[in-house]
Amino acid sequence: MQRIYNIKYFKTMELQVADSLKIIQSVINQRKQKYEENGFFLIFWSVLIMLAGTVQFAMLIANYYPKQSGWVWGVVMPLGFVVNLIIKYKEKKVATQKNYADWLDWIWAVAGINAIFAFLVPFSPFGKFQIAILVIYLPFAFVALAMALQMKMKLWIATSLVALLLIYAAIFVPFSYEIYLPLVCVVLAALLFLVPGIQFHNEYKKRSNVC
């Protein structure tokens, strides 16, 4: 009797573990599906950041209103935020059953709000552009790494880790090389947003063709 009980117990445990794995895999698949569909937003924000960083660098290197070059971010980012809100609003009106909101969505939102306030750092009396990069991109890098680990995306894990190293390295950039920091933002945008965005978009296209 004891042996039969043990066999039943282990079978029950195996079923529970299998069900748990199925639930976890289902959550991962849902999250992947959402970000495959929203790969556009990762690409959209990466292009905006890369554009702003490139324009600011060009203004600095050409000595064209260098003190005002930081306002490029103050124009491009709010415009992107407005466009993002409009597209999200239209998606919500069209959406019916697709709702995969989770705690990581809220962390993305918090990181975004943090970035908005962090844009004020270079204009503060104690602020430096290196500190702005640290405050703005560090939360995004950790969120991206958390997403990549949960979805087991090796490429995104690698680019997130490289981005983290680059963010910390930017703190030690000598004053004479600060002019190149906008290009650091361009590289970070490519690592954290553009590369995974393209990967999500390609996976979505493949799945759509299969379906």
Side-chain angles (χ1 to χ4, degrees), residues 5 10 20 65 70 78 112 116 161:
Y5 174 78
F10 283 117
S20 298
Y65 294 105
I116 292 170
L161 290 172

Short mmCIF file of all heavy atoms in Angstrom, two decimals, residues 5 10 20 65 70 78 112 116 161:
data_model
loop_
_atom_site.label_atom_id
_atom_site.label_comp_id
_atom_site.label_asym_id
_atom_site.label_seq_id
_atom_site.Cartn_x
_atom_site.Cartn_y
_atom_site.Cartn_z
N TYR A 5 0.97 4.21 -2.77
CA TYR A 5 0.76 5.61 -2.37
C TYR A 5 1.91 6.48 -2.87
O TYR A 5 1.69 7.59 -3.38
CB TYR A 5 0.66 5.69 -0.84
CG TYR A 5 0.59 7.10 -0.33
CD1 TYR A 5 -0.60 7.83 -0.39
CD2 TYR A 5 1.73 7.71 0.20
CE1 TYR A 5 -0.65 9.14 0.08
CE2 TYR A 5 1.69 9.02 0.67
CZ TYR A 5 0.50 9.73 0.61
OH TYR A 5 0.44 11.01 1.07
N PHE A 10 4.17 10.60 -6.51
CA PHE A 10 5.16 11.08 -7.47
C PHE A 10 4.52 11.41 -8.81
O PHE A 10 4.91 12.36 -9.48
CB PHE A 10 6.28 10.04 -7.65
CG PHE A 10 7.26 10.02 -6.52
CD1 PHE A 10 7.42 8.90 -5.72
CD2 PHE A 10 8.03 11.16 -6.23
CE1 PHE A 10 8.32 8.89 -4.68
CE2 PHE A 10 8.94 11.14 -5.19
CZ PHE A 10 9.09 10.01 -4.39
N SER A 20 2.80 23.39 -14.25
CA SER A 20 3.48 24.65 -13.94
C SER A 20 4.35 25.09 -15.10
O SER A 20 4.38 26.28 -15.47
CB SER A 20 4.35 24.50 -12.68
OG SER A 20 3.55 24.19 -11.56
N TYR A 65 25.76 76.19 -32.55
CA TYR A 65 24.97 76.38 -31.33
C TYR A 65 25.17 75.20 -30.36
O TYR A 65 24.21 74.52 -29.99
CB TYR A 65 23.48 76.54 -31.66
CG TYR A 65 23.16 77.78 -32.43
CD1 TYR A 65 22.87 77.73 -33.79
CD2 TYR A 65 23.14 79.03 -31.79
CE1 TYR A 65 22.58 78.88 -34.51
CE2 TYR A 65 22.85 80.20 -32.51
CZ TYR A 65 22.57 80.11 -33.87
OH TYR A 65 22.28 81.25 -34.59
N GLY A 70 21.50 70.41 -26.74
CA GLY A 70 20.73 69.50 -25.89
C GLY A 70 19.23 69.62 -26.07
O GLY A 70 18.48 68.68 -25.75
N PRO A 78 9.57 64.52 -26.67
CA PRO A 78 8.14 64.78 -26.44
C PRO A 78 7.28 64.47 -27.66
O PRO A 78 6.16 63.96 -27.52
CB PRO A 78 8.09 66.28 -26.11
CG PRO A 78 9.44 66.58 -25.56
CD PRO A 78 10.38 65.70 -26.34
N GLY A 112 10.37 54.93 -18.33
CA GLY A 112 10.09 56.03 -19.26
C GLY A 112 9.88 57.35 -18.54
O GLY A 112 10.40 58.39 -18.96
N ILE A 116 12.16 60.88 -18.61
CA ILE A 116 11.65 62.23 -18.87
C ILE A 116 12.23 63.22 -17.88
O ILE A 116 12.71 64.30 -18.25
CB ILE A 116 10.11 62.25 -18.82
CG1 ILE A 116 9.53 61.46 -20.00
CG2 ILE A 116 9.58 63.68 -18.83
CD1 ILE A 116 8.05 61.20 -19.90
N LEU A 161 23.65 43.23 -21.67
CA LEU A 161 24.87 43.20 -20.84
C LEU A 161 25.94 44.14 -21.38
O LEU A 161 26.61 44.85 -20.62
CB LEU A 161 25.41 41.77 -20.78
CG LEU A 161 24.56 40.76 -19.97
CD1 LEU A 161 25.10 39.35 -20.14
CD2 LEU A 161 24.54 41.15 -18.49
#
